[in-house]
């Protein structure tokens, strides 16, 4: 039997909330004709205001979309509506051979993929002038170290004047601009957050920023893994192609969950960010994939929660590697195990985060599966308890409606929950009910 996507996964592909709403109106059979699926693609014709229906086809593995409508959003409401119809009303999208126009587009995509696979891999281009590249790296290192030293002085000034007087160390936007000039965008981003922090968290963030700035001035003295972590936190980047040149980790990766940040979240109004968390079936390693989308365009990477993908990942260097780049895939995502993923007790999760923080002191949270927990609303907010220990749900991590949905899924009985656990609490992403092991996303409600 063909495994169809959940409504939550389909809606997560939308570029914005308006597209989700418009797609809902196209999720019934009424506007569609000539629709069908062969398990690898879905297609159909959607009647519009004109005499000619819009022809829509979705290739499911990537996924990829094609529609004859003039919309500048990607995927458009027709592609989303067709996917909602396919996922919610399977009998309305019967098995069939692709229509000629759909087959032509699918064949062209397949040919291009085969040509890329057959083309000889280009040798990685080394720097045109290694000496010049080394000089540029040294100049940047000197700028970063000078910027970090200045930041330490500004933080020390803030402590001397007292944290109650926020104007003493500010304006922080000016300091952030100096960090950008110093080619340390990671420091700049953390500095900008100071103005929005509650008073009780200022000392904590001052301390962590001071620690990071100090480490940035002593990179040569740090262990290799920790130095790589500091470089990443400061704002050095590694090209995905360079990562994928090796080494890579091949495994069957289970998709534990995903979350797409709306416009404006994450400090960049121009981008939508999608986070996908995976776990290796053989290695047990967690991995985080990031994908980005411009305004009106959803991030290009989408993997259904609960599915598994045989692929190679290349991890970014660090003391506690988590973020990875997706390399070669070996087939399309397929349904994963019927049972929920193995998880930890609350006490084990707390200990696991402690171990991770020992490697990376600036780690805000770590991907964690909690097993046999029950959501409870207390006077102090939502909690997850396993009957022995309790963790708070991180405030504002998910919408309140999603937490009520989690409670409704649980009905007071233990369930498995995946999310991120950190010093501010647990941020749930996916739940597996005890009586029905299909994953339920908590970030699209």
């Amino acid at each position: 039997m063909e495994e169809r996507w959940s409504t939550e996964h389909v809606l997560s592909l939308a570029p914005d909330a308006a597209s989700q709403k418009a797609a809902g109106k196209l999720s019934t059979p009424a506007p569609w004709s000539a629709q069908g699926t062969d398990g690898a693609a879905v297609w159909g014709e959607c009647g519009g205001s004109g005499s000619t229906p819009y022809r829509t086809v979705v290739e499911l593995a990537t996924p990829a979309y094609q529609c004859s409508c003039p919309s500048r959003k990607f995927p458009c409401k027709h592609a989303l509506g067709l996917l909602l119809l396919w996922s919610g009303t399977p009998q309305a999208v019967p098995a069939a051979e692709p229509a000629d126009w759909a087959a032509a587009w699918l064949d062209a995509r397949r040919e291009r993929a085969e040509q890329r696979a057959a083309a000889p891999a280009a040798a990685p281009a080394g720097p045109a002038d290694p000496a010049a590249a080394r000089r540029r790296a040294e100049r940047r290192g000197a700028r970063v170290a000078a910027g970090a030293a200045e930041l330490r002085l500004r933080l020390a000034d803030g402590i001397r004047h007292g944290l109650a007087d926020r104007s003493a160390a500010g304006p922080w936007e000016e300091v952030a601009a100096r960090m950008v000039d110093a080619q340390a965008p990671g420091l700049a981003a953390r500095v900008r957050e100071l103005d929005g922090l509650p008073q009780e968290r200022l000392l904590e963030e001052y301390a962590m920023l001071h620690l990071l700035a100090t480490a940035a001035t002593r990179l040569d003295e740090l262990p290799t893994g920790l130095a790589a972590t500091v470089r990443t936190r400061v704002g050095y980047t590694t090209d995905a192609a360079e990562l994928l040149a090796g080494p890579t980790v091949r495994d069957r990766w289970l998709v534990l969950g995903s979350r797409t940040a709306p416009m404006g979240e994450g400090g960049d109004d121009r981008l939508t960010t999608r986070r996908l968390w995976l776990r290796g079936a053989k290695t047990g390693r967690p991995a985080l994939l990031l994908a980005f989308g411009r305004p009106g365009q959803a991030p290009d990477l989408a993997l259904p929660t609960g599915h598994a993908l045989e692929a190679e990942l290349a991890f970014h260097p660090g003391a506690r590697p988590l973020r990875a780049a997706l390399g070669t895939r070996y087939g399309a995502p397929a349904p994963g195990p019927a049972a929920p993923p193995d998880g930890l007790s609350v006490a084990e999760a707390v200990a696991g985060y402690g171990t991770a923080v020992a490697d990376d002191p600036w780690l805000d949270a770590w991907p964690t599966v909690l097993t046999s927990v029950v959501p409870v609303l207390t006077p102090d907010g939502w909690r997850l308890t396993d009957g022995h220990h309790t963790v708070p749900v991180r405030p504002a991590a998910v919408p309140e409606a999603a937490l009520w949905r989690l409670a409704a899924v649980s009905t007071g009985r233990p369930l498995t929950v995946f999310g991120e656990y950190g010093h501010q609490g647990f941020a749930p992403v996916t739940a597996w009910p005890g009586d029905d092991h299909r994953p339920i996303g908590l970030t699209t409600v």
Side-chain angles (χ1 to χ4, degrees), residues 59 86 88 90 108 170 195 198 265 288 294 306 318 327 332 343 358 407 412 433 444:
E59 187 262 302
W86 167 73
D195 284 325
E265 212 174 294
L288 171 65
R294 298 187 299 272
T444 301

Side-chain angles (χ1 to χ4, degrees), residues 11 14 16-26 77:
L11 292 177
D16 51 35
S19 296
Q20 291 180 344
K21 184 176 180 180
K25 299 177 181 178
L26 300 175
K77 64 181 181 181

Side-chain angles (χ1 to χ4, degrees), residues 15 17 82 138-139 158 164 198 203 208 268 277 308 321 366 376 394 414 428 444:
L82 178 59
E138 290 172 350
R139 286 196 297 268
L203 182 59
M208 298 310 296
D268 193 336
W277 292 273
W366 188 252
V376 178
R394 194 166 79 207
T444 301

